[in-house]
Amino acid sequence: YVSVRFDFVETNGNVYDIWGVQLEAGSVATPFRLAGGGSKAAELALCQRYYSRDNAVDNYTAFATVSAQSTTTIRGSYRFPATMRTTPSVSFSGNFQAPGLDNGPFTPTMARLNINGGDIDIVATGQTFGKASTLRASNDTSAYIEIDAEL
């Protein structure tokens, strides 16, 4: 049985970050180890297996190249920053557009995706089959795509 408890009473709105905690089996403490062997890039890649968020950096940030697969689905080529630990959920926030597909601002919803990125199908009505475009923010710097494979 293992129990770890942190009690804080905070009334000033401060935020406390706790990092570098390691639980030991037995009575001997070992040196603290990072899962990625000390490499910041390896640590980031391990974290990105669980969660990633692609934020718009300007009003018309491009997120993926897409084409209309039917009147209700567009398919894009979208690469995750790392192979996800399991099939993630994908959510969109903000206004998007795919100007070459004749649709105005819309909030996409997922239809299908591959665990390693690659093909991503998005529900978007009013499409003309075969047309290609870019899925991008529609005059919205707060738009993002969130990929979540948390436990």
Side-chain angles (χ1 to χ4, degrees), residues 2 57 79 105 124 135 144:
V2 174
V57 294
R79 297 282 175 220
L135 178 67
Y144 63 84

Side-chain angles (χ1 to χ4, degrees), residues 24-58:
E24 299 285 353
S27 60
V28 178
T30 60
F32 181 73
R33 298 184 307 222
L34 296 171
S39 162
K40 290 181 182 179
E43 290 295 317
L44 177 60
L46 288 170
C47 291
Q48 288 174 330
R49 293 183 63 234
Y50 292 85
Y51 178 84
S52 181
R53 183 167 151 164
D54 197 0
N55 295 303
V57 294
D58 60 36

Side-chain angles (χ1 to χ4, degrees), residues 102-121:
D102 301 327
N103 60 27
F106 67 99
T107 299
T109 56
M110 278 306 305
R112 182 192 64 81
L113 72 148
N114 179 300
I115 189 171
N116 298 317
D119 290 341
I120 183 170
D121 287 358

Side-chain angles (χ1 to χ4, degrees), residues 70-74 103 106 108-109 122-127:
S70 70
T71 58
T72 60
T73 305
I74 58 178
N103 60 27
F106 67 99
T109 56
I122 301 166
V123 175
T125 59
Q127 306 307 313

Side-chain angles (χ1 to χ4, degrees), residues 43-55 78 80-93 144-151:
E43 290 295 317
L44 177 60
L46 288 170
C47 291
Q48 288 174 330
R49 293 183 63 234
Y50 292 85
Y51 178 84
S52 181
R53 183 167 151 164
D54 197 0
N55 295 303
Y78 185 82
F80 299 160
T83 299
M84 305 305 285
R85 57 170 282 286
T86 187
T87 302
S89 63
V90 176
S91 59
F92 301 84
S93 180
Y144 63 84
I145 299 175
E146 187 172 62
I147 304 150
D148 190 343
E150 284 289 341
L151 299 174

